[in-house]
Each structure stands twice: as structure tokens, then as C-alpha cells.
Amino acid sequence: MLLSKIGIFGLIILAVSLQRTESYFGLTGKNVYLDGDTEWDCKRLSKKQRKMCRRDSGMPETLYEAIRLSERECQMQFKNERWNCTTSDRYRENILKKGFKETSFLYAISSAGLTHTVARACSRDVLERCTCDESFNDEKNKETWQWGGCGDNIKYSQKFVQNFLNGKKSGKDLRALVEKHNSDVGIRLVRQEVKETCKCHGVSGTCATKTCWRQLSPFSEIGKLLKDRYEHAYKVVSTTNESTGQAQLVTPRPKGEVVNRTEGSSLGPNDLVYIDNSPNFCSRSKFTPGTSGRVCAKETNCKVMCCGRGYNIKSNEVQKPCRCRVVWCCYVDCDQCLEREEIHLCK
Ligand SMILES: *[C@@H]1O[C@H](CO)[C@@H](O)[C@H](O)[C@H]1NC(C)=O
Ligand SMILES: *[C@@H]1O[C@H](CO)[C@@H](O)[C@H](O)[C@H]1NC(C)=O
Ligand SMILES: *[C@@H]1O[C@H](CO)[C@@H](O)[C@H](O)[C@H]1NC(C)=O
């Protein structure tokens, strides 16, 4: 974590040394994803990505799965928020034109979803050009256990994704730096969360030999970590470095201030960064359909979700099991009763 200690200046150096790229895919891609579409092929991609997609017969389904994975996780993480990760093209594309925190999240969750899906597709034998991870790199443990099983191939995946998202060079602008940075955060996080998993072999519970392999963390954990970083994202501005003439990222904070990591005031390579303050997502605009009509939970988020407009109460009748009794030893028999249930909808 050397970079996080260096703080601001670490990021400046990091950012400037990055190749400026276009990295559009998944929830950040244009026309790449159509709602409810089941026909998906490489044609939707940019020229370079299309070529990489067509090289492997398992790739189209893998890429499609990656988009769906990112979408589902994004919507899960934001289901109780004003912005609920609407992926309909109209709103999403307008958000992508800006540099909101939400835009940052879309970049990170897309690259993370792709990294995760490709690594797993290798071990599931879906892709032709990669297999299980079979690298043996932990020499000190070699005597007590062996690598085996079929590990998720994070090495191949990371290389593939970096190449896949590394498009033609675009202008030297702030947005390109921010997009690349956030995209890299997603890739790195999936790699950092790879766990070694082991299984014991031996006579009745002894662990005479162990087989270990690398396993990805469930994507829901990646989503949770990224959501946390979204909540603690740093606003950055562009300044021109007088000696190099290049744009660079800095936090709008006095230079030379002591960086204090525990107060969360420094930037590291794992932090999400953004440029523009987000709208409040309360009412309909080009970024959001607004929260009118959204279901909220009275005890927790109605106040915030409904933006002070209040809510309507709708009463639904739902069937629920009731008057349950145990039959014989181990079987429970219930009647179905109609119960009234109140749901709250933002005005
Ligand atoms: C300008 O860029 C150079 C080279 O990357 C770097 O050493 C220097 O610290 C930068 N200047 C400022 C004010 O950030
Ligand atoms: C960093 O933050 C902690 C907790 O707020 C504080 O106790 C500490 O003195 C700070 N260190 C510096 C160098 O400011
Ligand atoms: C998000 O909210 C909009 C209304 O603001 C609603 O139409 C849409 O179905 C919601 N999407 C998800 C995935 O919950």
C-alpha cells in the first residue's frame, strides 16, 4: 500500500503515467446492452473488442453474462437508493456523459463484472483460450499441501480485461483519466479478493494432504465493497502540471496538507474518484425517471427516497400461510389466509 501512503501525489503520478484510453464495456458501453435482449453478439462492440470477442467461441456468452452480472449487482446495491441503477439507455447514457459518483460506480462494476466472469469462464471450461489456474507460487507451503482442483484463472482474466478495455488513445482529458482509474479499481478489487480455498484428504478427518486452489469471492461481496467506495468517493479536479503540460488529478484541498488515511482524506489507487456533483435524482430529468412511484420502507428510507414529498399507502391483499400445525412427526400443514399488507409509494 505504498501508494496510499503517498496519497495525493501518489495518485498524480499514477494518473499521469497511465495510458489514456477508452474503456467502454458493459454498463458503460453504448448500445451494448439492450433491455431484455437475449440475442447478443460481438457486433455490438468496438472494432478491437469485436476481434477479441470473435477469437474465442465461448466469448460472446461470457461477455453477455458479464454485462448481466454487473447489472444485477448494481441494481441490488442501489435498490433502496434514489438512483436505482436504471440501465435503460436514455438515462444511463446521460449519466455516462457526466462524471458523477454514479458514473464512477458504473465503470468499476463493469470492469469488475468482466474480470470476474472471464476468470470463472476459464475454470468452467467455457473459453477455449484459457483453462484452470494451475500456477504454483507458494513455495513455502509446498510440503504440506499441493495445488490442485481447478482454480479461477484471475491471471488470464486480468490480462484479457486490461487489453479488452484498452482502446485507442483518446484526448488528454480529465474524464479519460477518471474513467481509466475507476475501471482499474474494479479489476484490482476482484484480484485482491481472490481467496485460497483448500480441501483436506486423509483417513477420517485427518488432514494428511491438502489440495488448494484459488477461488474468486462471490460477486455480491465485490459489489458491497464497491458500494462502500462509492460512498467514500473523492472528488477530483484537473490541474495542468506546469512542467509537463499534462492534465492531472488532484483533490480540491490545500497542497501540502498532512495526509491522514484514518480520516479517509487521502487518495489511493483503490479509491473511486469523480468529477461532477450528482443531481439529487428526486424528480424526472435526463438522468433519472425520479422517485415518484418508487416503493419505500416506511421505517427506514421513505423520507430520503421520497425527497420530502411524502408517500401514498397502498393496501394489498396477499396470501400467507397461517394456522399451521404439525402433522405426524415432521410435516407442517398450513392454511392459506388472505392478509392485508401496506406498501408505501413515493408521491
Ligand atoms: C508535474 O509533473 C512532474 C512529473 O510527473 C511531477 O514530478 C511534479 O510533481 C508535478 N507537479 C505538480 C505541481 O504536481
Ligand atoms: C489522524 O486521525 C486520527 C483520528 O482522527 C488522529 O487521532 C490522528 O492524530 C491524526 N493524525 C494526523 C497526523 O493528523
Ligand atoms: C428504478 O426506478 C424506476 C422509477 O424511478 C422504476 O421504473 C424501475 O423499475 C426501477 N428499476 C429497478 C431495477 O428497480
Side-chain angles (χ1 to χ4, degrees), residues 289-303:
T291 62
S292 179
R294 289 277 300 280
V295 175
C296 61
K298 188 179 156 210
E299 308 298 331
T300 55
N301 72 340
C302 279
K303 215 170 159 181

Side-chain angles (χ1 to χ4, degrees), residues 258-265:
V258 177
V259 165
N260 192 337
R261 190 68 193 162
T262 57
E263 283 172 354
S265 58

